[in-house]
Amino acid sequence: MPVALLALAIGAFGIGTTEFVMMGVLPEAAADFGVSIPSAGYLISGYALGVVVGAPLLTAAAVRLPRKTMLLAMMGLFTLGNTLFALSPNQEFGVAFRFLAGLPHGAFFGAGAVVASSLAKPGERAKAVSMMFMGLTLANVVGVPLGTLLGQKVGWRATFGVVAVIGLLAMAAIAKLVPHQGKPVEPSLRGELGAFRRPQVWLALAIVTFGLGGVFACLSYIAPMLTDVTGYSPSNVTLLLSLAGVGMTIGNILGGRLADKALMPSLYVSLIGLAAVLAIFTFTANGKVGAAVTIFFVGLAGFMIGPMMQARIMEKAGGTPSLVSAAVQSAFNIANSIGAYLGGLVIAGGFGLVAPNWVGASLAVLGLSLAVVSGGMDRREARLAPAMAS
């Protein structure tokens, strides 16, 4: 495979680390800023909202820039945001800088996928794109646990300082290894926006938002849940986050394979499984072995949904997938924001640190309901197709 993919994977590793490591160092950041755990959850929501805003806007800007220039600009903005966040004087500035760091997230992956595909030989394009996203999955296995450990031992600011260094390394690697590809052909923005007139596209985005919102309602507060309820030490939380990352990686691989074979039935099963495992976690969180097993399956079930929904929305977008593909990143991070907000709401309401798991299970059921509606529309369209053809 082209060595340029390594540069893209480094960038994906940094982005994945900064997005998810906040969950592991949330108690340390809350204590440093002098705010409650639910209030510190806005640091997670701030990043997610940055992705929501930046993905479509910066993707639109990407069509006017050479891909390599776009990748370097996005990594530069990413590095700046994380540097400023590490220097944040208070909670308010922290949320603003997390928002800034989240802006380039979706646009980087959108441009990176195009570059990875263009560099690969015919028949190996999907594999090339998956190599870039391998950096994202490795972030959950390696970057997040090590970043959490560093935050606990040295301080959360050191964690994001290291993330900023990863951003600089990614910029250097992109500049050195990614070939110049020229300015892309100007696309039709009207055509791209036309995909959003399809109800199935909006249903797919809603399934991502609510189905994966269930995962983030749980994971946003996993560190205090495991220490204060389960009884793990902060250092053991690092290992458990790595276990969740392994589940995410396996789920991502399984989800992609199942999507190729039977997309909608597999999606139903994944959402049912996610709702069940989150509900079970409200009970297993009280025991160390049960919690460890359950957190693995939360990552597994949750991240099976991602590749399924990516395939689903590309199918429903027709021949204009670029902006819709960026919108998936927005929906993913709206899920992050909603999950963190609702999870913090029930904690602040006095329902306890395991209450976000019930919120997550409810969101997964809502996502399942929307998936059933979408599947019903497919069947109705299939019945009407012969009549319309005649």
Side-chain angles (χ1 to χ4, degrees), residues 39 97 104 139 202 212 231 274 303 328:
S39 180
F97 292 143
W202 286 105
L212 288 174
L274 177 61
F303 276 68
V328 174

Side-chain angles (χ1 to χ4, degrees), residues 269-322:
V269 171
S270 298
L271 287 165
I272 291 170
L274 177 61
V277 77
L278 287 169
I280 290 169
F281 200 13
T282 61
F283 303 102
T284 58
N286 293 293
K288 291 186 176 181
V289 175
V293 172
T294 309
I295 195 173
F296 169 82
F297 282 104
V298 168
L300 177 71
F303 276 68
M304 284 177 67
I305 298 168
M308 294 179 187
M309 293 314 304
Q310 184 71 50
R312 175 74 172 172
I313 202 163
M314 296 290 281
E315 171 191 318
K316 296 304 177 183
T320 54
S322 299

Side-chain angles (χ1 to χ4, degrees), residues 161-356:
V162 171
V163 169
V165 171
I166 294 172
L168 290 174
L169 290 175
M171 290 180 69
I174 291 168
K176 178 70 174 179
L177 301 177
V178 175
H180 181 73
Q181 297 184 311
K183 187 176 180 179
V185 176
E186 191 76 17
S188 170
L189 185 58
R190 178 179 296 180
E192 293 284 348
L193 292 172
F196 291 95
R197 290 197 293 267
R198 300 180 175 98
Q200 285 281 34
V201 167
W202 286 105
L203 268 174
L205 292 172
I207 294 166
V208 173
T209 298
F210 294 107
L212 288 174
V215 177
F216 291 113
C218 166
L219 294 183
S220 295
Y221 302 97
I222 193 67
M225 190 187 310
L226 292 174
T227 55
D228 296 358
V229 177
T230 311
Y232 278 108
S233 66
S235 60
N236 284 330
V237 170
T238 302
L239 297 175
L240 290 166
L241 289 174
S242 182
L243 184 62
V246 172
M248 293 173 188
T249 302
I250 295 173
N252 186 61
I253 295 170
L254 286 177
R257 293 183 177 181
L258 291 172
D260 287 333
K261 295 180 179 179
L263 197 158
M264 291 307 290
S266 300
L267 179 62
Y268 300 149
V269 171
S270 298
L271 287 165
I272 291 170
L274 177 61
V277 77
L278 287 169
I280 290 169
F281 200 13
T282 61
F283 303 102
T284 58
N286 293 293
K288 291 186 176 181
V289 175
V293 172
T294 309
I295 195 173
F296 169 82
F297 282 104
V298 168
L300 177 71
F303 276 68
M304 284 177 67
I305 298 168
M308 294 179 187
M309 293 314 304
Q310 184 71 50
R312 175 74 172 172
I313 202 163
M314 296 290 281
E315 171 191 318
K316 296 304 177 183
T320 54
S322 299
L323 198 56
V324 168
S325 182
V328 174
Q329 294 294 327
S330 294
F332 184 87
N333 283 274
I334 291 173
N336 193 338
S337 182
I338 288 176
Y341 173 74
L342 294 178
L345 202 62
V346 293
I347 294 173
F351 292 97
L353 288 171
V354 298

Side-chain angles (χ1 to χ4, degrees), residues 81-131:
N82 281 283
T83 300
L84 292 174
F85 178 58
L87 301 172
S88 299
N90 54 44
Q91 165 87 344
E92 290 74 22
F93 275 98
V95 173
F97 292 143
R98 283 285 285 171
F99 176 85
L100 179 64
L103 285 174
H105 178 125
F108 177 85
F109 281 119
V114 173
V115 171
S117 178
S118 69
L119 293 174
K121 299 177 182 178
E124 295 186 353
R125 291 176 179 174
K127 181 180 178 182
V129 174
S130 71
M131 291 295 292

